[in-house]
Amino acid sequence: MEIKQAKMDDLNQIMEILRDGRNQLAEQGIDQWQGDYPNEEHIKEDIEKGFAYLVQSDDDETVGALSIVEAPDHSYDELHGDWLIDTDKYVVIHRVAIHSNHAGKGYASQLFTSVIDYIKNNRKEIKTIRIDTHVDNKIMQHLIAKNGFTKVGELHGVYRPEENSYVYALLTGN
């Protein structure tokens, strides 16, 4: 699996992957991503800042997308909880989606492993990785915990007024 930085030419492909992710969540009865988040402006900004990535399988097929956002991430300004360490040396994984055409093949687990390994090996200044997900998104919560993240708190109303999310962190050991 390879994670490659997205370019503006990749915008439509990323938006299709995220729309598919929104539909998958809706089919599971999860209210995450059912409003105006994430939208095209978020993704354009991610691409312009170098935060947007495409996920490629070993046979070079694009299977998913994610953003790795550099600190500071003001989404976490109102965290109800405590970080594992107080640092500005962190990145945040946001907007993770594997297209339903590629579901059930272990790509989401491989994605987490690849991102964590990349940050630990190539971003020695990064002390912690942060991520959050909707309180009803049990699949993502399991995936996050399985990859060594610790639940550190909650967010209320950051993405939409009534939406609650769990927040996790992982120390990189750097």
Side-chain angles (χ1 to χ4, degrees):
M1 167 168 287
E2 181 184 355
I3 297 169
K4 71 171 200 171
Q5 200 162 43
K7 298 176 175 45
M8 203 54 77
D9 289 350
D10 300 315
L11 177 65
N12 289 337
Q13 187 172 25
I14 293 170
M15 291 309 300
E16 168 54 31
I17 291 167
L18 294 177
R19 275 190 294 276
D20 180 75
R22 176 179 285 136
N23 293 341
Q24 290 178 62
L25 291 166
E27 287 169 9
Q28 296 169 41
I30 300 169
D31 198 31
Q32 187 174 7
W33 290 6
Q34 300 308 304
D36 191 38
Y37 175 89
N39 62 43
E40 192 169 298
E41 291 308 309
H42 292 119
I43 306 312
K44 282 182 182 176
E45 184 178 336
D46 282 353
I47 293 170
E48 288 167 358
K49 291 182 175 180
F51 298 166
Y53 292 83
L54 291 170
V55 181
Q56 309 257 180
S57 63
D58 289 337
D59 59 359
D60 206 33
E61 191 168 349
T62 299
V63 299
L66 77 151
S67 294
I68 303 172
V69 177
E70 299 288 330
D73 185 336
H74 296 293
S75 302
Y76 296 134
D77 288 353
E78 301 298 322
L79 175 73
H80 298 274
D82 295 301
W83 295 114
L84 298 176
I85 59 171
D86 186 20
T87 183
D88 62 355
K89 306 286 188 213
Y90 67 88
V91 293
V92 181
I93 300 171
H94 277 304
R95 301 178 271 289
V96 176
I98 300 295
H99 198 284
S100 60
N101 291 348
H102 305 284
K105 298 178 182 172
Y107 289 132
S109 290
Q110 290 177 44
L111 177 147
F112 270 89
T113 301
S114 296
V115 169
I116 292 166
D117 288 348
Y118 172 80
I119 292 167
K120 285 181 176 183
N121 296 326
N122 299 292
R123 299 288 309 274
K124 297 292 187 187
E125 77 282 9
I126 299 300
K127 303 297 180 199
T128 184
I129 304 168
R130 299 174 177 177
I131 190 169
D132 64 87
T133 193
H134 193 283
V135 296
D136 293 334
N137 193 340
K138 306 293 186 209
I139 293 171
M140 183 59 83
Q141 290 169 33
H142 172 75
L143 193 59
I144 291 167
K146 182 175 108 173
N147 281 281
F149 286 78
T150 301
K151 188 160 124 183
V152 296
E154 295 184 22
L155 295 175
H156 306 289
V158 170
Y159 302 106
R160 290 187 300 150
E162 302 302 316
E163 189 169 331
N164 296 313
S165 300
Y166 293 138
V167 180
Y168 301 81
L170 173 72
L171 297 176
T172 62
N174 291 341

